[in-house]
Amino acid sequence: MPDAYEQYLVPVVFRPFAEDLAARATALHPGRVLELAAGTGALTSILLTEAPSAEVTATDLNEAMVAFGSARATGAAWRRADAQRLPFPDGGFDLAAAGFTVEDERELTLEGRAASTADLATGYLTGTPVRLAVEERGGGPTVRATVIEEMTARLGTGPAVAPMTAYVFRAASVPRRRI
């Protein structure tokens, strides 16, 4: 799954946002970075290059993604972790226990580009948990062929280009008041 995710989905869906987010983060001159849902390390790799003095910890729930990412972005500390139950001490990364205030919130629309509709369909069918659901029910090749046929009928045979939107928040920890 990580190989297909890296080959078909990262360039189309994740890299455009990773590049933007890395630029935003490095402009803040971070000392420590905690990345949640790091996948195969698209953002992690850029952060390590653009902010070489930062200590980067990358996490993902999927062990296969952690293994792939840790081989790809060797300068980061990689951990398997559920973002809802992080295995780090309170305040270790100035998380919710320290309090956050949202300083900036914006909607960001970037363009995703896939070499073909078939590549995009292959990415979603083999590089995400959808793969397991399809395999459990049998008929993986048949399902893949049907999805590719349907998507190609709707989107055409050439490169697939579409806008993608994300919401980007910048938050800072609120200094604790001592009593």
Side-chain angles (χ1 to χ4, degrees):
M1 187 169 71
D3 292 323
Y5 178 94
E6 180 68 22
Q7 179 180 351
Y8 297 110
L9 296 179
V10 166
V12 179
V13 179
F14 300 107
R15 187 168 296 125
F17 290 108
E19 290 169 350
D20 179 81
L21 188 55
R24 292 171 192 272
T26 57
L28 299 172
H29 308 288
R32 296 180 75 204
V33 176
L34 173 62
E35 183 183 358
L36 306 177
T40 57
L43 173 60
T44 316
S45 296
I46 299 170
L47 286 171
L48 291 170
T49 300
E50 301 295 321
S53 63
E55 179 184 313
V56 178
T57 300
T59 67
D60 199 276
L61 181 60
N62 184 299
E63 186 62 46
M65 293 293 198
V66 171
F68 188 101
S70 63
R72 175 184 186 201
T74 58
W78 282 83
R79 296 273 308 264
R80 182 182 179 283
D82 182 335
Q84 295 182 9
R85 290 183 289 286
L86 293 172
F88 306 108
D90 289 345
F93 290 92
D94 292 331
L95 296 161
F100 279 111
T101 181
V102 174
E103 295 179 341
D104 186 37
E105 170 186 343
R106 65 185 60 202
E107 183 177 294
L108 177 64
T109 300
L110 300 173
E111 193 171 80
R113 295 178 165 272
S116 69
T117 304
D119 280 359
L120 189 58
T122 299
Y124 281 108
L125 290 171
T126 62
T128 69
V130 169
R131 175 184 191 154
L132 300 175
V134 171
E135 288 175 357
E136 285 174 357
R137 290 169 178 80
T142 304
V143 169
R144 181 172 175 248
T146 301
V147 170
I148 289 172
E149 182 180 317
E150 287 291 321
M151 286 180 67
T152 301
R154 293 175 191 220
L155 302 172
T157 58
V161 179
M164 303 178 301
T165 301
Y167 295 92
V168 180
F169 298 88
R170 185 181 73 227
S173 59
V174 178
R176 293 185 181 181
R177 295 172 67 167
R178 297 185 187 226
I179 300 177

